[in-house]
Amino acid sequence: TPAEPKKALFDSQKTLDSMNDIVDILTANDLVTFPVFGSLLGLVRDAKLFDHDKDADIGLFIEDYEEIHRIVSMLCKSDRFAAPTMVKDPKENAMWNVGVYDNEKNASVDLFFFHKKDTHYETGVNTKCGTVKWVFKPFELEKVTLAGKEYWVPANYEEHLTEIYGEWRETVVVWESLLNCPNLSKDS
């Protein structure tokens, strides 16, 4: 008899619910958020988060550590959310990305902070090997409905997704954002 399939550790609906709860909290505090990376791709292409992904990704135009600290502290003031990297990692790591864990939904949401440069935006993650950055053409945000919810998204989201994934309309079986993204910064 065939082996019974393993139950996925990732629950894409709970993660989407967690992402939406965080978006709602931040929006209620006058912050503009937008889905990015795989979350944006999944919502645009499949009207859901990918079943195989391990977290959701939210972008914010925030460049000041004190503002990042305020936002994460606000989310973590209850026992529902935790952001352990804000405590254990150097504060400069938080300038690019902070992972937020939702204890209630058993889900993770990454907050990516976009920095405006002269000709582009940058966001990234800090790894043991150094900072990995992605470069984006400047973009404005517009409100659209994806998967039954209104989100702010890059107004040119098709071009934005092409910057990240190349031909994003086709499903790719193996994708590693630290290697495969066309917009990976040369100094990563």
Side-chain angles (χ1 to χ4, degrees):
T1 62
E4 190 158 323
K6 291 182 181 178
K7 183 175 176 169
L9 296 175
F10 175 79
D11 184 325
S12 59
Q13 186 57 53
K14 283 186 179 180
T15 302
L16 179 61
D17 293 344
S18 181
M19 181 182 93
N20 287 338
D21 290 348
I22 289 173
V23 166
D24 291 345
I25 291 167
L26 297 178
T27 299
N29 284 277
D30 299 322
L31 294 163
V32 176
T33 65
F34 48 100
V36 293
F37 296 112
S39 295
L40 178 62
L41 177 60
L43 290 170
V44 167
R45 194 173 71 192
D46 300 342
K48 65 177 191 155
L49 296 184
F50 296 127
D51 292 330
H52 64 273
D53 209 344
K54 65 181 183 359
D55 60 21
D57 303 314
I58 298 172
L60 297 102
F61 293 118
I62 304 288
E63 298 189 45
D64 175 75
Y65 175 79
E66 299 309 319
E67 182 68 2
I68 292 168
H69 188 270
R70 184 188 73 74
I71 291 166
V72 174
S73 295
M74 175 191 50
L75 286 172
C76 296
K77 70 181 174 187
S78 73
D79 289 337
R80 178 172 176 189
F81 297 109
T85 60
M86 286 295 288
V87 177
K88 68 179 189 143
D89 289 351
K91 78 180 197 177
E92 55 271 5
N93 286 12
M95 292 302 296
W96 295 109
N97 166 277
V98 172
V100 177
Y101 183 75
D102 184 339
N103 292 303
E104 181 182 298
K105 303 240 189 279
N106 192 28
S108 293
V109 177
D110 282 342
L111 305 178
F112 284 92
F113 305 110
F114 281 68
H115 302 269
K116 186 171 176 43
K117 303 299 180 185
D118 289 337
T119 60
H120 61 278
Y121 288 114
E122 289 180 348
T123 192
V125 295
N126 283 296
T127 71
K128 292 177 183 175
C129 298
T131 303
V132 176
K133 294 186 278 186
W134 296 275
V135 177
F136 296 89
K137 293 177 186 169
F139 59 92
E140 300 293 324
L141 298 174
E142 69 178 1
K143 257 194 181 169
V144 300
T145 300
L146 300 170
K149 180 171 174 64
E150 270 197 342
Y151 295 99
W152 287 102
V153 299
N156 54 351
Y157 69 82
E158 289 187 357
E159 180 181 326
H160 185 83
L161 286 169
T162 300
E163 281 184 286
I164 303 168
Y165 298 106
E167 185 42 65
W168 58 272
R169 290 172 185 86
E170 297 175 14
T171 300
V172 175
V173 176
V174 177
W175 180 266
E176 176 50 60
S177 60
L178 299 179
L179 299 172
N180 298 114
C181 286
N183 67 329
L184 196 61
S185 172
K186 291 181 186 349
D187 63 348
S188 291

